[in-house]
Amino acid sequence: MWVLMYVFSYSVSPAATNDRAEWRLLPTVVFQEFSNEERCKAAKLALEGSLKEAGAKLKSGMEDLRSLGKADPAQIIIAYSVECLPK
């Protein structure tokens, strides 16, 4: 058995929201079991591709907002880790 461990976190600058508190990481952790390493690695590649694509879309949207003076890509931090581990 193999386990896909996926950790995703993001934080939005307090200046970009009504919440004036400090930057906060909001992590999500997901575990998914696979019967073999190949299936786990295939899922890992698909998930990493989706996360990269989503990040690119978000950055593009933030760039559009920056051109309007409404936001800046530096106001959000996105981090993720995807690993296949033997169980």
Side-chain angles (χ1 to χ4, degrees):
M1 293 292 279
W2 284 77
V3 176
L4 176 75
M5 181 182 73
Y6 155 52
V7 180
F8 175 82
S9 61
Y10 70 94
S11 186
V12 177
S13 167
T17 69
N18 291 330
D19 182 3
R20 297 295 182 209
E22 295 179 16
W23 286 72
R24 289 188 193 110
L25 288 177
L26 305 169
T28 299
V29 181
V30 177
F31 297 95
Q32 177 67 47
E33 289 186 352
F34 290 88
S35 58
N36 60 55
E37 183 179 11
E38 292 76 27
R39 293 184 75 190
C40 187
K41 287 186 175 185
K44 176 184 177 189
L45 288 174
L47 183 55
E48 286 176 328
S50 293
L51 290 170
K52 286 177 185 176
E53 182 179 328
K57 286 180 182 179
L58 178 60
K59 184 176 180 181
S60 174
M62 294 294 278
E63 289 289 347
D64 292 346
L65 288 172
R66 178 166 58 180
S67 69
L68 299 172
K70 300 290 183 186
D72 187 326
Q75 292 176 321
I76 189 165
I77 297 171
I78 296 175
Y80 64 88
S81 176
V82 184
E83 299 293 333
C84 281
L85 307 166
K87 182 176 178 183

